[in-house]
Amino acid sequence: MRKLFIMAAAAMIAGSANAQDIKSILKAGTYAEAQGLIKSAEATLSNADKAKAYNKLVDLALEQGKKDEDVLDKNMIAAQMKQSPAPYDTTNLLNAIKSAYDNALICDKFDQMPNEKGKVKPAFRSKNAGRLQTRRNYLLTIGNDAYNGRNYSNAAGAFGLFVDTYKSPIFSESKLNGDNLPVIAFYAELASYYNNDFKAATRYFETAINDTADIQNAIQIAAAAYQNMKDDANYRGVLLKAHQKYPNDNNYFEWLVNSYADARDTLGLKKFAEQEAQTYPNAAHTYYVQGLVAEYELNFAKSVEAYKKAIEADPKYSSAVYNCARATLLYGNSVLNDKSLGANAKQKAMPIYKESITLYEKVKELYPDRKNLWAYPLYNAYYVIGDTAKAAEYEALTK
């Protein structure tokens, strides 16, 4: 009997202490004070009291941003009246909203848990959804003002939080409009990139590519972000997605091909070429990558043949013209130096060199200001065929 009495007394004391803890938390005058009290008492609080405690932090966080919210509200009215806006602290307001939202999530977690009687009776979700939905709309103004002020950290934070909260459980019973989500995600991606937060930039990519107006910019930003992170696999993944969506845009294709070349990943490039041949069997870019693979394998005759098919499929494919010229010259060199041909080597090589000259003259027409692409190769080819005057002309351009 005595043991039971002691246990009952201990339970009463603990219950009294818990009641005192939650009362102290709810009476806290500042965010820091309430946060400290919660930290010291959380282990002993009931789920219902934890929900109350974190809801108090939501109250106090919003109170910290109240002054700047008032300015923002006045600025919206001023804009309608074509008056100049008053300055406000974007950092303070953004941090207040983010803090309120983070604590509302924790509050919601405990609010959805059974109480002492085993029943779930949420008390705060509806209230927090209402007041945070209003603040969520403020994020667009904060993000816009921060972006225009080149405060990309705050811009990324505001736009990003707007996107992140769209599927929040807090708003599960609200009817949020997601029509503008892709364009906001694009600006979250862009601001994150400008802020050198490349990981965050890639996080918003999948939503941003649904913004039809900025889809290609979204792709290029994500690709650049992955490239900055030296993440070759995801860099190629973004470019492959872009290539599949825009198969006729050679930029994405060539960036993808160059990523294999830069990494000296000839096996990866060969596999990619095989996939392209299956998906786009007669496309110019398919022949192009087949030519590149053959060139890497030092099969210059096959390479030239593939590049010619690429040019035939797309006569304006300038990269194919250049690569075909290079491969033809290399083919000529390989024939000229083929010891198995003996005295016949030069005779067999001459037509190939002449063909390379014709191709490099086209390269010269395409890129007249880029002498590094054609001056030395033309000097080399003219020298081999014995046209000393032309060889001297192009040799002078290499100096």
Side-chain angles (χ1 to χ4, degrees), residues 18-88:
N18 292 349
Q20 187 59 44
D21 286 337
I22 190 61
K23 285 180 181 178
S24 299
I25 292 168
L26 296 179
K27 288 181 180 179
T30 67
Y31 184 91
E33 181 188 358
Q35 194 175 42
L37 290 170
I38 292 172
K39 186 176 181 180
S40 62
E42 186 170 4
T44 63
L45 294 175
S46 66
N47 290 336
D49 282 346
K50 287 176 183 176
K52 291 176 184 177
Y54 281 99
N55 188 67
K56 177 64 176 181
L57 287 181
V58 177
D59 295 339
L60 293 170
L62 294 178
E63 194 173 300
Q64 286 182 334
K66 185 68 170 60
K67 179 181 177 181
D68 292 306
E69 279 185 13
D70 290 343
V71 176
L72 201 60
D73 287 336
K74 291 177 181 177
N75 284 348
M76 291 179 182
I77 296 172
Q80 294 175 359
M81 300 176 68
K82 297 183 179 181
Q83 296 176 350
S84 299
Y88 68 99

Side-chain angles (χ1 to χ4, degrees), residues 144-220:
N144 186 62
D145 291 343
Y147 186 88
N148 289 336
R150 297 189 178 183
N151 186 337
Y152 299 121
S153 176
N154 282 354
F159 290 137
L161 187 58
F162 183 90
V163 176
D164 293 340
T165 53
Y166 179 66
K167 292 185 178 180
S168 169
I170 295 172
F171 300 123
S172 62
E173 298 169 14
S174 306
K175 293 183 179 180
L176 297 182
N177 186 337
D179 292 346
N180 64 347
L181 205 65
V183 68
I184 304 305
F186 168 71
Y187 280 104
E189 179 191 22
L190 180 61
S192 296
Y193 183 83
Y194 283 156
N195 194 44
N196 294 320
D197 189 349
F198 304 123
K199 188 174 182 180
T202 60
R203 185 155 58 90
Y204 297 108
F205 168 63
E206 291 298 335
T207 304
I209 57 173
N210 294 310
D211 173 23
T212 54
D214 287 301
I215 184 170
Q216 297 213 43
N217 289 329
I219 289 169
Q220 291 177 29

Side-chain angles (χ1 to χ4, degrees), residues 92-367:
N92 179 66
L93 185 52
L94 173 60
N95 288 341
I97 294 173
K98 186 177 187 310
S99 181
Y101 174 73
D102 289 344
N103 285 293
L105 272 181
I106 302 173
C107 167
D108 193 67
K109 180 182 74 172
F110 291 118
D111 205 22
Q112 301 299 317
M113 291 181 179
N115 58 21
E116 294 87 342
K117 296 180 180 179
K119 295 182 179 181
V120 177
K121 290 186 175 182
F124 301 104
R125 174 174 286 188
S126 179
K127 175 186 176 183
N128 283 336
R131 57 183 177 170
L132 289 178
Q133 188 171 345
T134 301
R135 272 74 183 192
R136 185 172 178 267
N137 293 331
Y138 284 155
L139 292 171
L140 298 181
T141 304
I142 296 170
N144 186 62
D145 291 343
Y147 186 88
N148 289 336
R150 297 189 178 183
N151 186 337
Y152 299 121
S153 176
N154 282 354
F159 290 137
L161 187 58
F162 183 90
V163 176
D164 293 340
T165 53
Y166 179 66
K167 292 185 178 180
S168 169
I170 295 172
F171 300 123
S172 62
E173 298 169 14
S174 306
K175 293 183 179 180
L176 297 182
N177 186 337
D179 292 346
N180 64 347
L181 205 65
V183 68
I184 304 305
F186 168 71
Y187 280 104
E189 179 191 22
L190 180 61
S192 296
Y193 183 83
Y194 283 156
N195 194 44
N196 294 320
D197 189 349
F198 304 123
K199 188 174 182 180
T202 60
R203 185 155 58 90
Y204 297 108
F205 168 63
E206 291 298 335
T207 304
I209 57 173
N210 294 310
D211 173 23
T212 54
D214 287 301
I215 184 170
Q216 297 213 43
N217 289 329
I219 289 169
Q220 291 177 29
I221 292 167
Y226 280 123
Q227 198 170 37
N228 275 288
M229 292 190 289
K230 302 186 186 306
D231 186 340
D232 290 340
N234 279 311
Y235 171 68
R236 288 175 188 165
V238 170
L239 293 179
L240 184 59
K241 184 175 289 188
H243 171 54
Q244 291 168 343
K245 191 170 184 65
Y246 302 102
N248 296 321
D249 188 327
N250 288 329
N251 286 326
Y252 296 127
F253 169 77
E254 290 188 18
W255 292 342
L256 187 56
V257 167
N258 289 339
S259 75
Y260 288 107
D262 293 343
R264 300 181 183 277
D265 185 0
T266 52
L267 290 177
L269 182 63
K270 189 171 184 178
K271 184 178 179 181
F272 173 64
E274 291 169 354
Q275 292 170 342
E276 290 297 284
Q278 290 178 357
T279 310
Y280 313 103
N282 299 311
H285 67 259
T286 298
Y287 293 128
Y288 176 91
V289 72
Q290 288 174 338
L292 200 59
V293 169
E295 191 175 342
Y296 286 162
E297 293 175 342
L298 305 182
N299 190 338
F300 299 119
K302 185 178 179 181
S303 177
V304 169
E305 181 184 355
Y307 286 136
K308 283 182 178 179
K309 288 181 179 179
I311 297 169
E312 185 179 345
D314 182 1
K316 294 182 179 180
Y317 198 166
S318 57
S319 295
V321 174
Y322 171 70
N323 278 21
C324 191
R326 182 185 64 221
T328 304
L329 183 58
L330 291 171
Y331 181 31
N333 290 341
S334 69
V335 172
L336 184 65
N337 295 304
D338 188 345
K339 293 181 180 179
S340 68
L341 295 175
N344 294 323
K346 188 169 185 178
Q347 182 182 353
K348 289 192 173 184
M350 288 302 101
I352 303 173
Y353 276 108
K354 288 177 181 179
E355 187 176 5
S356 76
I357 288 173
T358 301
L359 286 163
Y360 269 115
E361 291 289 357
K362 289 183 180 178
V363 174
K364 179 182 174 182
E365 291 176 11
L366 290 168
Y367 306 104

